[in-house]
Amino acid sequence: MSLPLGACATSPQLDIRQERGQREVFCGLTGIVWLHRKIQDAFFLVVGSRTCAHLIQSAAGVMIFAEPRFATAIIDERDLAGLADLDDELDGVVTRLIARRPDIKLLFLVGSCPSEVIKLDLSRAAQRLSQRMRPAVRVLSYSGSGIETTFTQGEDACLAALVPQSPLQLATQEPSLLIVGALADVVEDQFRRLLSVMGIKHIDFLPARHAADMPAIGPQTKFLLAQPFLTDTARALEARGAQHLPALFPLGEEGTTAWLWAAAQAFGIPRATFDAVTASSRERAKQSLSLHREQLAGKRIFFFPDSQLEVPLARFLSRELGMELTEVGTPYLHRRHLADELAHLPQDVTLVEGQDVDAQLDRCRAQKPDLSVCGLGLANPLEAEGLATKWSIELVFTPVQGYEQTGDLAELFARPLRRRELLEV
Amino acid sequence: MQLTLWTYEGPPHIGAMRVCSAMDKVHYVLHAPQGDTYADLLFTMIERRDTRPPVTYTTFQARDLGSDTAELFKNAAKQACERFKPDALVVGASCTAELIQDDPGGLAHALGLDIPVIPLELPAYQRKENWGASETFYQITRALAKPVEKRAHPRPLCNILGPTSLGFRHRDDLIEIRNLLNQIGVDVNVVAPLSATPADIARLGEADFNVVMYREVAGQAASWLQRAFGQKSTRTIPIGVGATRAFIQEVGELAGLDVSHILAGSKGRMPWYSRSVDSTYLTGKRVFIFGDATHAVAIADVAAKELGFKIVGLGTYSREFAREIRASAETYGVEPLISDDYLDVEAAIAESGAELVLGTQMERHIAKRLRVPCAVISAPVHVQDFPARYSPQMGFEGANVLFDTLVHPLMMGLEEHLLGMFRGDHEFRDGAAPSHLGGGDAPVQTPEPIVTVDQTASLAWSLDAEKELRKIPFFVRSKARRNTERFATERGLARIDVETLYDAKAHFGR
Ligand code: SF4
């Protein structure tokens, strides 16, 4: 995976600091936790170590699934010592898996650090297994390894693997709108409703809810990114001739409006129609924020790098809720996809790309923000030091995009502060 | 290659973290990619630790491979020492770094640090978490414990070995053990790993003997201490009343103290609660036990000897302790289950016909699916295994806790069973979920009529008989109805009157 560094010119006015050091973020395997729920007949088989298995299990938090649609093929000593043929071993594992789960239509072989380091060619394995199990099961591969992907980049890698497999859209087909990035079903349904009432006829989502329903993609496809971390997916879509519609990301009333308007414009929807369709939702979204503005306005917020959602979130919190940004950290910053977002940030914001967790903790302590957005490894220690926190992982697992979720999104930030006011212990 | 859905144990470096983060003034530099930092949240979220674990990860990336991962490690180690100022540095590799063979031990030594450096070799493709904890504690002990002059001490002196971070009830077990030792008249020299500093480890040799709380963690270190300093160790795991008494006896022997006055004293409430007549229904309850070996073996004894359960299954996920489980399983006449494949465990539980499962969080989910009551008795831990209240497993208080832990799910199960059985009776709201499942606010619905039409529709109950039936306590009423109808059918009676009801009662009551 190539880095989005220098993908396009930086907004001239903003200073973006690069930082290197210890990172405190998940690897791309974590995406499996939400992706397996989104694609309902897909199975994710990590080819890795006991660490990888333990990571997913810990990130999934509660072990509530009867038999989850993800698992790990744990590489052992025999495999490494060359005593076992890795291809045979993997075929054996997959055969057993599919025998037990005949409902699986799409199997992802997910690469990990160990599989990358020993140069196990999972794309070849996927081809071989696909040949063998066709047409019942399609097998694809991507890497979620921690040496190549950070947290949400796992989703990017997964979706990028799906693109070349999608049906080809004919040049004669009607133009279609493709919304890219895993969203909660309820959010998808809301977007589909708004956009079709506006008059856009053909709307698809990537990923689709079922393996057989992956959308056709081609030069007639115009796509909106629903998430800011889809670098490789966007590139793969563009390679298919699809056209990216740059916009703010659909977080908050402003972001959602700009995002929907980008699609409306591309499909020739008049502004009057757009306004008529979105008016009541926009009003509701603004209304829902007023509840939380009192709590959040003027409060200082600090972002530790985590999901790459940091920049759009910072824009939403500063512009729609009046929060003050101290430091906004992000693991990677895609200059082109985030160009609009960056233009909407206050000029004096401190943007940090990359991480050196100890240095960042020092800065956070010095700043004494009212709220710190951070991973679960840092949250309780910061709380114990008296700093209120918001766990960033919840922002990925909870439906937060679109008008109807705008209040929920604000509430996620207001809740820790409200809770502190309530508690007398 | 092994297909794994859920794992009971993490990789061995997680065991090392459990030891290092239990200690004070120790720092662990782990050569590992960024994703491995997930391990921090086990400590901060499950155990609610209020500081970051003392671990620095090098978080090397693909672009570092082949060029300067070794340099990265050296920098990380140097910076960690400057920032955290530990008294000892533990260094090692996780699964990925093991493959790139940077030799963290050699690199750290080359830094010329003025503190002891303890390199760990934890084969990640071969071993697991508990082994890693044991090896780490052993290496730390071996590196730091020094031969010492035994100082004159008014009371016998022991070390307590085994409690770690993320251990199942280690925090509270330790308090219980300290209390017991104090009563016996033994002083504690060092507790390790939990809360020990490198300086404390250095003076382990001052003790007369060692109390080993958890063999999984401390067994190896304790045998080394025996070889190095001639310290003997306790073998008894004081879980349950009987084992606690045996432990007191054993400590008394090791310390050369008379413990008869303690053995004559209180044994807690558990023995009486278990003998109390309301516990009669526990007799012969079929129980399946699975966990780490220490807890599985100890709990099996409690279940069989102190609660009167019948053991129908016993197993562990830790192969290193298969022997202990086999021996115990033999005494209960069951097949031992040595497996870390939770699907095997699920199959074994289903087949055993268990009425109660005592296991880990994994078995809790299995039991939920099989609709069998369950209590958690062993790691792997979950946030629920760190209760706010004092809740040990060891000692007499631990036995009290175990009585509650093991019996409550059965009472709840009984309640649920009754609800299902008498759902139609007016004493119960139809559709009410069992109260322990939070069904308290289910909407009130009209109760179904008591008289239900069934396959024996040709049998007519007289009004009097029906009234008489209602006088029978609700929890046996449907059985009485069934028996009476069966009695009538067998005798070709078309009508049931009060007479028939009592004839049937006499008949089945024989
Ligand atoms: S960082 Fe690498 S080794 Fe660690 S869990 Fe992620 S993929 Fe596995």
Side-chain angles (χ1 to χ4, degrees):
Chain A
M1 171 166 304
S2 59
L3 308 176
L5 286 174
C8 194
T10 310
S11 294
Q13 70 275 35
L14 288 176
D15 169 35
I16 302 171
R17 195 162 69 216
Q18 309 281 324
E19 196 165 54
R20 277 196 77 177
Q22 181 187 318
R23 300 168 72 96
E24 180 84 17
V25 276
F26 289 139
C27 60
L29 295 184
T30 324
I32 292 171
V33 177
W34 63 87
L35 287 166
H36 89 279
R37 309 203 62 187
K38 186 71 217 178
I39 314 176
Q40 292 158 21
D41 50 6
F43 195 102
F44 293 78
L45 180 66
V46 177
V47 182
S49 64
R50 184 166 297 280
T51 317
C52 308
H54 201 230
L55 163 109
I56 303 180
Q57 180 166 327
S58 308
V62 278
M63 300 179 271
I64 49 169
F65 311 104
E67 210 184 312
R69 275 182 293 104
F70 54 80
T72 309
I74 296 186
I75 299 169
D76 61 31
E77 247 194 328
R78 292 175 58 250
D79 304 317
L80 294 175
L83 293 176
D85 180 78
L86 277 170
D87 288 345
D88 291 350
E89 290 285 310
L90 188 57
D91 288 12
V93 166
V94 169
T95 307
R96 252 186 303 150
L97 186 69
I98 296 299
R100 196 154 75 199
R101 299 297 300 264
D103 51 323
I104 297 306
K105 299 285 182 291
L106 176 60
L107 173 68
F108 285 101
L109 302 180
V110 187
S112 65
C113 304
S115 78
E116 301 284 328
V117 170
I118 63 170
K119 303 212 159 32
L120 188 57
D121 189 345
L122 290 183
S123 68
R124 209 169 43 93
Q127 271 171 21
R128 186 181 64 238
L129 287 163
S130 245
Q131 292 278 344
R132 224 187 63 198
M133 296 192 289
R134 207 162 50 185
V137 188
R138 201 144 44 99
V139 187
L140 298 178
S141 72
Y142 71 89
S143 171
S145 83
I147 52 175
E148 290 182 312
T149 61
T150 300
F151 195 24
T152 47
Q153 283 179 316
E155 176 178 332
D156 185 26
C158 172
L159 301 191
L162 276 173
V163 174
Q165 299 293 320
S166 290
L168 258 182
Q169 188 190 42
L170 303 175
T172 50
Q173 265 170 291
E174 248 186 80
S176 63
L177 174 66
L178 180 66
I179 295 176
V180 189
L183 293 168
D185 290 356
V186 55
V187 177
E188 271 186 21
D189 294 343
Q190 289 166 13
F191 285 151
R192 185 187 289 282
R193 206 159 45 231
L194 284 171
L195 290 160
S196 48
V197 173
M198 261 174 233
I200 300 179
K201 292 199 196 69
H202 195 137
I203 305 163
D204 291 315
F205 289 85
L206 183 72
R209 294 176 201 184
H210 294 96
D213 302 338
M214 292 301 164
I217 298 165
Q220 293 290 80
T221 307
K222 299 176 199 300
F223 68 93
L224 276 176
L225 294 178
Q227 304 282 12
F229 45 73
L230 298 171
T231 308
D232 287 1
T233 309
R235 195 179 300 123
L237 289 167
E238 280 164 348
R240 266 281 183 104
Q243 185 202 339
H244 176 213
L245 305 175
L248 290 180
F249 288 91
L251 295 171
E253 187 274 327
E254 182 185 36
T256 304
T257 302
W259 188 77
L260 290 170
W261 176 235
Q265 272 179 303
F267 283 80
I269 312 292
R271 184 75 203 194
T273 312
F274 177 84
D275 284 342
V277 172
T278 53
S280 64
S281 302
R282 292 177 67 174
E283 205 37 57
R284 247 197 324 270
K286 284 184 188 155
Q287 201 60 42
S288 69
L289 290 181
S290 64
L291 284 170
H292 305 292
R293 192 174 295 111
E294 198 182 330
Q295 186 94 54
L296 294 172
K299 295 278 169 36
R300 300 164 65 249
I301 188 163
F302 188 106
F303 283 89
F304 284 84
D306 197 60
S307 62
Q308 293 190 51
L309 282 165
E310 294 81 9
V311 170
L313 286 171
R315 180 262 305 157
F316 162 68
L317 293 169
S318 79
R319 290 176 62 93
E320 297 187 46
L321 290 158
M323 290 192 86
E324 211 179 291
L325 307 176
T326 56
E327 174 170 328
V328 181
T330 186
Y332 291 113
L333 205 155
H334 192 290
R335 299 339 189 231
R336 187 158 59 89
H337 290 169
L338 288 171
D340 275 0
E341 293 286 349
L342 294 173
H344 282 73
L345 286 183
Q347 300 257 342
D348 58 349
V349 67
T350 305
L351 280 169
V352 179
E353 185 182 24
Q355 185 168 29
D356 177 351
V357 68
D358 287 313
Q360 200 157 30
L361 282 165
D362 287 346
R363 295 199 297 271
C364 181
R365 291 180 184 118
Q367 291 269 4
K368 291 196 179 47
D370 297 298
L371 191 63
S372 302
V373 185
C374 62
L376 291 174
L378 299 178
N380 264 340
L382 285 174
E383 290 279 352
E385 291 180 32
L387 293 164
T389 60
K390 166 79 224 98
W391 324 338
S392 46
I393 198 160
E394 207 176 355
L395 299 161
V396 181
F397 289 162
T398 316
V400 293
Q401 294 83 0
Y403 293 125
E404 313 304 341
Q405 284 66 241
T406 295
D408 304 342
L409 178 57
E411 205 269 340
L412 287 179
F413 293 92
R415 195 186 307 161
L417 299 178
R418 197 154 44 87
R419 179 161 184 79
R420 295 193 140 224
E421 286 171 8
L422 285 173
L423 295 184
E424 292 180 23
V425 291
Chain B
M1 227 175 247
Q2 194 201 346
L3 180 63
T4 306
L5 293 122
W6 299 117
T7 70
Y8 285 91
E9 292 182 73
H13 72 261
I14 297 289
M17 282 185 72
R18 288 179 46 197
V19 169
C20 294
S21 55
M23 295 181 66
D24 278 341
K25 300 187 178 221
V26 168
H27 200 87
Y28 183 23
V29 179
L30 184 65
H31 207 15
Q34 59 183 354
D36 292 9
T37 61
Y38 80 87
D40 284 357
L41 79 84
L42 305 173
F43 298 85
T44 62
M45 295 307 289
I46 296 179
E47 199 175 42
R48 298 186 180 87
R49 186 186 164 97
D50 62 0
T51 54
R52 296 175 65 212
V55 181
T56 294
Y57 307 80
T58 56
T59 63
F60 57 85
Q61 300 183 340
R63 61 176 177 216
D64 305 316
L65 289 181
S67 60
D68 51 3
T69 51
E71 203 50 40
L72 210 64
F73 179 86
K74 278 161 72 178
N75 285 337
K78 205 158 63 202
Q79 282 169 14
C81 286
E82 283 160 11
R83 178 177 280 271
F84 300 105
K85 305 197 173 19
D87 290 349
L89 191 71
V90 177
V91 298
S94 78
C95 54
T96 309
E98 184 181 331
L99 296 173
I100 59 178
Q101 299 184 326
D102 272 340
D103 182 22
L107 293 170
H109 277 298
L111 288 175
L113 300 168
D114 54 1
I115 52 169
V117 171
I118 302 152
L120 296 179
E121 301 272 352
L122 307 176
Y125 298 91
Q126 209 182 331
R127 301 296 192 170
K128 290 180 284 186
E129 178 176 335
N130 279 342
W131 187 90
S134 164
E135 174 71 10
T136 303
F137 186 44
Y138 163 64
Q139 291 297 347
I140 290 177
T141 304
R142 225 182 62 151
L144 302 178
K146 296 281 171 310
V148 281
E149 291 278 306
K150 284 226 183 352
R151 282 179 296 154
H153 202 272
R155 306 213 292 180
L157 203 55
C158 76
N159 300 311
I160 300 179
L161 306 180
T164 63
S165 290
L166 280 182
F168 189 80
R169 305 293 164 83
H170 289 193
R171 174 195 75 189
D172 296 345
D173 283 352
L174 177 59
I175 297 173
E176 201 58 25
I177 294 300
R178 276 181 177 281
N179 288 343
L180 276 178
L181 291 168
N182 187 37
Q183 276 180 45
I184 298 170
V186 173
D187 281 346
V188 175
N189 178 46
V190 168
V191 177
L194 193 66
S195 75
T197 63
D200 291 333
I201 301 292
R203 57 189 186 82
L204 280 173
E206 284 178 24
D208 302 311
F209 64 97
N210 291 314
V211 169
V212 174
M213 289 175 68
Y214 312 102
R215 277 189 288 267
E216 280 82 355
V217 178
Q220 207 187 345
S223 3
W224 182 82
L225 288 167
Q226 165 126 36
R227 289 196 302 276
F229 307 133
Q231 291 169 331
K232 291 192 170 141
S233 305
T234 55
R235 313 266 332 143
T236 315
I237 302 299
I239 293 180
V241 173
T244 299
R245 290 168 58 80
F247 174 80
I248 293 169
Q249 191 89 48
E250 190 183 14
V251 171
E253 280 158 24
L254 286 169
L257 294 171
D258 176 18
V259 292
S260 49
H261 63 290
I262 305 172
L263 291 177
S266 167
K267 303 178 216 165
R269 295 186 190 95
M270 200 260 220
W272 170 239
Y273 273 40
S274 194
R275 284 174 189 278
S276 158
V277 288
D278 64 292
S279 293
T280 313
Y281 81 101
L282 301 175
T283 314
K285 283 276 177 204
R286 300 168 62 83
V287 53
F288 190 103
I289 300 170
F290 194 82
D292 66 21
T294 291
H295 287 90
V297 169
I299 297 290
D301 281 354
V302 174
K305 297 174 189 159
E306 301 181 11
L307 290 163
F309 293 158
K310 179 175 169 52
I311 312 288
V312 294
L314 179 62
T316 185
Y317 52 81
S318 48
R319 282 177 199 284
E320 289 93 344
F321 292 86
R323 210 159 39 110
E324 280 84 340
I325 290 287
R326 288 209 180 89
S328 173
E330 206 183 313
T331 61
Y332 296 113
V334 293
E335 236 351 88
L337 175 66
I338 316 292
S339 171
D340 63 354
D341 183 338
Y342 103 119
L343 293 172
D344 287 352
V345 180
E346 172 156 21
I349 292 176
E351 199 178 314
S352 71
E355 294 168 279
L356 175 67
V357 174
L358 304 175
T360 74
Q361 291 291 338
M362 309 275 213
E363 284 68 47
R364 192 166 67 85
H365 289 288
I366 292 172
K368 209 189 279 174
R369 278 197 293 285
L370 298 174
R371 307 186 69 85
V372 181
C374 175
V376 175
I377 49 105
S378 161
V381 289
H382 181 271
V383 67
Q384 287 171 0
D385 300 322
F386 291 87
R389 65 179 186 280
Y390 181 54
S391 192
Q393 299 257 292
M394 293 186 170
F396 294 126
E397 183 57 25
N400 293 339
V401 169
L402 278 177
F403 181 88
D404 291 348
T405 311
L406 271 50
V407 170
H408 279 178
L410 282 172
M411 293 195 338
M412 285 174 174
L414 186 70
E415 186 188 338
E416 193 165 347
H417 181 67
L418 285 172
L419 270 168
M421 197 161 153
F422 298 110
R423 206 167 279 284
D425 289 9
H426 69 276
E427 287 89 346
F428 291 93
R429 287 181 279 113
D430 186 43
S435 56
H436 70 285
L437 297 180
D441 31 47
V444 179
Q445 294 181 4
T446 330
E448 279 173 32
I450 289 183
V451 183
T452 50
V453 184
D454 56 23
Q455 69 286 358
T456 50
S458 59
L459 284 171
W461 283 72
S462 76
L463 215 60
D464 283 352
E466 193 67 63
K467 269 192 195 151
E468 201 66 21
L469 182 68
R470 286 181 192 229
K471 294 176 193 160
I472 295 173
F474 70 88
F475 52 90
V476 287
R477 195 181 301 145
S478 74
K479 188 173 174 200
R481 175 187 289 279
R482 264 198 323 273
N483 284 349
T484 310
E485 289 175 352
R486 195 170 122 208
F487 179 84
T489 312
E490 280 168 11
R491 276 158 193 73
L493 304 174
R495 190 180 163 76
I496 294 169
D497 52 24
V498 179
E499 210 59 15
T500 326
L501 185 67
Y502 285 111
D503 283 346
K505 182 169 184 292
H507 175 79
F508 287 104
R510 275 181 312 194

